[in-house]
Amino acid sequence: MTTPSDDAARPVPVRVVLPADPVLGQPEQDVVARLWRRRQTETNWMYLVGLPSYRDLEDGRVEAAEYRVWVRAPGHVRPVDGVDYDQVPTETLPPASVVREVLGERRPSGWVLAKVREGRGARGVLHAPDCEEAPQGAALLPMERALDVAENPGTRLCTLCGCAQELTPLLSGFDHIGDS
C-alpha cells in the first residue's frame, strides 16, 4: 500500500540514534528529526528522516537546512512520546513468493561468450551472464546457440559460474552422471 507523496504528507518528529564515536569518546546520541516516509523491505523497515543541519549560501551566510537519509528501524530510530505515526506514508512490499524463498534469486537467462582469439579455430570461454569473468555488454546466447558454441573444440565452459556444471549434462547426455 502506498499513501500520499512527501508533498502531501506532513512529517512527524522521531528520535534518530546517532552512532558512538570512540575516537572522540562520544557515546550514542539521540537527535529529534522529522520522519517523512516508511518502507518495508524483505528484511527490515527503513525510515526516511530529515536531520537538522546547516548549509552555506553563495553570499557567505549560513542557513538552517535538512539532510534526508534512509535509516533502519528500529535500530536507528525511536518514537517520540505522544506522537501518532499512523499518518506517515508507508510502503509495504508484498510477501516474497515461496518459490523465491526456497530457490533464491534467479540467474539471468542465457549465456555469453568471451572470445579469447579471433579468426579460424577461434577460442572462447562460455559464461553465465552474471559471471564476474563474463564480458560486459556481450550478446546473450539462447540455450540452443550456447550448446552449438559449447560443442566447438575451441570453447571452454567456465567452472567459476557453473556453466560447465549446467551445460555438460546437456552436451554429454545424463547417463554419464551416475558413472562417476
Side-chain angles (χ1 to χ4, degrees):
M1 174 178 102
T2 304
T3 54
S5 69
D6 285 352
D7 299 333
R10 299 191 74 162
V12 294
V14 67
R15 293 193 178 284
V16 176
V17 180
L18 300 178
D21 186 341
V23 174
L24 296 176
Q26 295 288 329
E28 268 186 3
Q29 298 178 46
D30 283 359
V31 175
V32 176
R34 299 193 304 172
L35 176 58
W36 287 95
R37 300 186 70 72
R38 298 184 289 194
R39 178 179 296 154
Q40 182 184 20
T41 67
E42 286 187 29
T43 57
N44 57 22
W45 280 88
M46 301 294 291
Y47 283 24
L48 179 62
V49 297
L51 294 164
S53 182
Y54 291 100
R55 70 172 154 223
D56 294 326
L57 300 175
E58 289 181 15
D59 64 6
R61 292 182 301 131
V62 176
E63 73 177 4
E66 180 178 76
Y67 175 73
R68 290 190 188 176
V69 63
W70 286 97
V71 296
R72 283 194 186 102
H76 299 120
V77 292
R78 306 276 187 271
V80 172
D81 291 338
V83 174
D84 179 17
Y85 294 99
D86 290 340
Q87 299 306 314
V88 175
T90 303
E91 299 171 52
T92 56
L93 298 176
S97 76
V98 174
V99 172
R100 179 164 283 165
E101 238 176 81
V102 172
L103 298 179
E105 288 296 316
R106 286 192 58 193
R107 155 178 280 165
S109 62
W111 305 94
V112 294
L113 179 64
K115 293 182 179 173
V116 177
R117 187 175 74 199
E118 298 288 334
R120 282 188 111 157
R123 298 203 176 274
V125 181
L126 203 57
H127 298 278
D130 59 349
C131 179
E132 60 187 47
E133 299 292 322
Q136 296 300 311
L140 282 177
L141 304 175
M143 179 64 76
E144 189 172 311
R145 179 70 183 118
L147 290 171
D148 289 342
V149 169
E151 286 181 327
N152 181 330
T155 302
R156 192 173 59 78
L157 304 179
C158 179
T159 55
L160 179 66
C161 64
C163 178
Q165 293 86 340
E166 291 184 43
L167 294 185
T168 300
L170 298 173
L171 292 166
S172 310
F174 291 93
D175 295 334
H176 81 283
I177 293 175
D179 296 341
S180 57

